[in-house]
Amino acid sequence: MKDLLISVLEQSGYPVFQQGSLGKDEKYPDSFFTFWNNETYGDDFYDNEENFTVWDFDLNFYSTNPVLVDEMLIKASKKLKESGFIVRGKGHDVASDEITHTGRGIKILKIEI
């Protein structure tokens, strides 16, 4: 499922990283996505068997351009929905480790049957 998420996001032309995977001394790209798999859980049980799995992700977009932060998250939400992801809400601000960057995030889900 991570491969599908990355594939959809890479269509934007911006780099995609798993949250925390940039090295301590690596320079942030001007704009990029990060994601984190919060949880992957079974659901809809019958006879002690799960009928589907829910993939729960946080998705963030960071940029030196604050306007782009809002725009790209909206565009990414649309593409993710087209690819079968459930996008929850309109997002929230996220902290950045770099003073040059601002960020915004959303929670997304993908149901695997």
Side-chain angles (χ1 to χ4, degrees), residues 19-36:
Q19 189 75 33
S21 65
L22 279 172
K24 181 180 174 182
D25 296 326
E26 286 183 76
K27 183 180 181 320
Y28 276 23
D30 285 344
S31 300
F32 61 99
F33 287 99
T34 65
F35 69 92
W36 186 256

Side-chain angles (χ1 to χ4, degrees), residues 11-82:
Q11 294 174 27
S12 70
Y14 293 103
V16 180
F17 304 101
Q18 185 163 340
Q19 189 75 33
S21 65
L22 279 172
K24 181 180 174 182
D25 296 326
E26 286 183 76
K27 183 180 181 320
Y28 276 23
D30 285 344
S31 300
F32 61 99
F33 287 99
T34 65
F35 69 92
W36 186 256
N37 180 212
N38 296 310
E39 185 177 14
T40 305
Y41 56 91
D43 209 341
D44 193 32
F45 289 88
Y46 183 77
D47 286 340
N48 295 326
E49 294 291 326
E50 64 185 49
N51 288 308
F52 59 84
T53 303
V54 179
W55 292 77
D56 178 329
F57 292 98
D58 281 333
L59 173 65
N60 302 318
F61 185 79
Y62 296 93
S63 181
T64 56
N65 179 345
V67 173
L68 192 59
V69 169
D70 291 328
E71 289 176 0
M72 282 312 301
L73 210 54
I74 291 167
K75 288 179 183 178
S77 294
K78 182 179 177 187
K79 290 289 186 189
L80 289 164
K81 287 177 185 177
E82 291 170 0

Side-chain angles (χ1 to χ4, degrees), residues 19 34 58-62 69 91-97 101-106:
Q19 189 75 33
T34 65
D58 281 333
L59 173 65
N60 302 318
F61 185 79
Y62 296 93
V69 169
H92 54 274
D93 293 335
V94 290
S96 173
D97 293 334
H101 287 68
T102 57
R104 190 141 176 89
I106 54 174

